[in-house]
């Protein structure tokens, strides 16, 4: 809670643009003071903060690499100094493999880079946030950890299996955090986006345009950042805490088994 404004505080990793910025803006629209992180402190980051503040709330940006576990304390200290204790943590930052390689050709370097951000970094940052939430004591309103994962936690892509592995392992981490933190009044949730229009999917947009048109996604459209933001905003509500451990598919029906 921000002691100066009385508003709840949210931290969204990877919030400079794309899904992260859409989520951060959604929370700002709901009256949260919002901190976002990213690896670069640039005009894009400053423009993102301006968008958050346009909703009449406090917004701040802290540069930091999620993969740098040793730097997590500094990042969280900066967020707390600017806004106060974190009520809602959205673990959104993630990367695709530097090279999309067949499972028989991928390299240890490719594997380590992806899991360093998507799994190891995400896990230990969430751990650090959870410890601070507990240290601050229970509040009248519950807190939440929300992980933006992927349909790739259950759907394999043989030319980027390291990404799928990172998301599948993160799903188990979510269950672990949910079980551990339930008694502390901290809800833990996983959101699994499907095919979402982002910078990450821009290079394969024509491929997915055709697949979506052909029926791959029952909703027959791309997902947008606003779709993910809507799920985060719902799960961030204090009333959702008893649903801890819930997985929400935001994929237009992509992962529904069909004949």
């Amino acid at each position: 809670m921000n002691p100066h404004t009385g508003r709840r505080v949210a931290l969204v990793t990877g919030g400079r643009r794309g899904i992260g910025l859409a989520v951060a803006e959604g929370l700002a629209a709901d009256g949260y003071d919002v901190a976002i992180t990213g690896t670069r402190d640039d005009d894009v980051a400053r423009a993102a903060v301006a968008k958050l503040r346009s909703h009449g709330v406090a917004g701040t940006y802290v540069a930091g690499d999620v993969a740098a576990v040793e730097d997590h304390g500094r990042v969280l200290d900066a967020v707390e100094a600017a806004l106060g204790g974190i009520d809602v943590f959205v673990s959104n930052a993630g990367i695709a493999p530097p090279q999309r390689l067949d499972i028989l050709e991928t390299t240890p370097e490719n594997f380590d880079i992806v899991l360093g951000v998507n799994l190891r970094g995400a896990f230990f940052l969430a751990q650090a946030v959870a410890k601070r939430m507990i240290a601050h004591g229970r509040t009248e309103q519950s807190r939440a950890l929300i992980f933006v994962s992927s349909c790739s936690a259950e759907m394999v892509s043989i030319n980027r299996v390291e990404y799928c592995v990172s998301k599948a392992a993160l799903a188990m981490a979510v269950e672990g955090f949910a079980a551990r933190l339930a008694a502390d009044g901290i809800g833990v949730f996983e959101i699994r986006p499907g095919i979402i229009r982002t910078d990450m999917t821009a290079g394969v947009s024509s491929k997915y345009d055709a697949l979506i048109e052909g029926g791959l996604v029952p909703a027959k459209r791309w997902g947008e950042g606003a779709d993910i933001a809507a799920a985060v905003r719902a799960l961030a509500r204090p009333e959702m805490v008893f649903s801890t451990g819930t997985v929400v598919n935001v994929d237009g029906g992509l992962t529904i088994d069909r004949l």
Side-chain angles (χ1 to χ4, degrees):
M1 183 76 69
N2 189 327
H4 303 293
T5 67
R7 290 189 286 263
R8 300 182 85 205
V9 173
L11 169 59
V12 181
T13 64
R16 289 169 66 253
R17 59 185 181 181
I19 289 174
L21 180 55
V23 167
E25 279 205 86
L27 292 170
D30 285 344
Y32 286 80
D33 289 339
V34 183
I36 56 176
T37 71
T39 56
R40 292 184 294 281
D41 191 354
D42 55 11
D43 289 342
V44 174
R46 286 183 280 277
V49 171
K51 287 184 178 180
L52 299 179
R53 292 175 178 170
S54 71
H55 292 278
V57 299
T60 193
Y61 178 82
V62 180
D65 185 352
V66 171
V69 173
E70 68 282 357
D71 194 42
H72 289 172
R74 177 196 64 82
V75 171
L76 296 181
D77 285 346
V79 172
E80 290 187 350
L83 301 179
I86 297 165
D87 297 287
V88 174
F89 170 64
V90 182
S91 179
N92 166 74
I95 61 170
Q99 295 179 282
R100 292 175 69 98
L101 299 172
D102 182 88
I103 189 172
L104 299 183
E105 303 297 332
T106 196
T107 64
E109 293 78 15
N110 227 36
F111 188 94
D112 290 346
I113 288 170
V114 172
L115 268 73
V117 176
N118 296 0
L119 178 60
R120 184 174 183 270
F123 179 97
F124 284 105
L125 183 54
Q127 180 194 75
V129 171
K131 286 181 176 180
R132 293 188 183 218
M133 286 180 172
I134 291 171
H136 289 155
R138 292 187 70 119
T139 65
E140 292 182 3
Q141 291 189 321
S142 65
R143 279 91 38 102
L145 307 181
I146 302 172
F147 294 80
V148 179
S149 177
S150 171
C151 64
S152 294
E154 59 179 303
M155 301 180 75
V156 69
S157 299
I158 61 172
N159 64 345
R160 56 176 191 133
V161 168
E162 52 274 88
Y163 180 83
C164 302
V165 168
S166 73
K167 297 301 184 178
L170 188 63
M172 180 52 69
V174 171
E175 291 193 18
F177 280 119
R180 173 61 178 82
L181 299 174
D184 294 292
I186 300 171
V188 183
F189 308 98
E190 180 187 357
I191 292 174
R192 293 185 182 175
I195 302 168
I196 310 297
R197 199 185 307 277
T198 67
D199 292 344
M200 189 181 292
T201 56
V204 290
S205 60
S206 59
K207 167 189 171 181
Y208 281 111
D209 282 340
L211 289 171
I212 291 169
E213 180 62 28
L216 178 65
V217 178
K220 288 193 175 293
R221 70 168 176 87
W222 283 80
E224 304 291 345
D227 296 311
I228 312 304
V232 170
R233 293 166 77 174
L235 294 174
R237 293 178 59 86
E239 298 87 346
M240 290 299 295
V241 67
F242 202 65
S243 296
T244 191
T246 294
V247 178
V248 178
N249 294 307
V250 186
D251 61 9
L254 172 67
T255 52
I256 296 171
D257 287 333
R258 290 167 283 164
L259 291 174

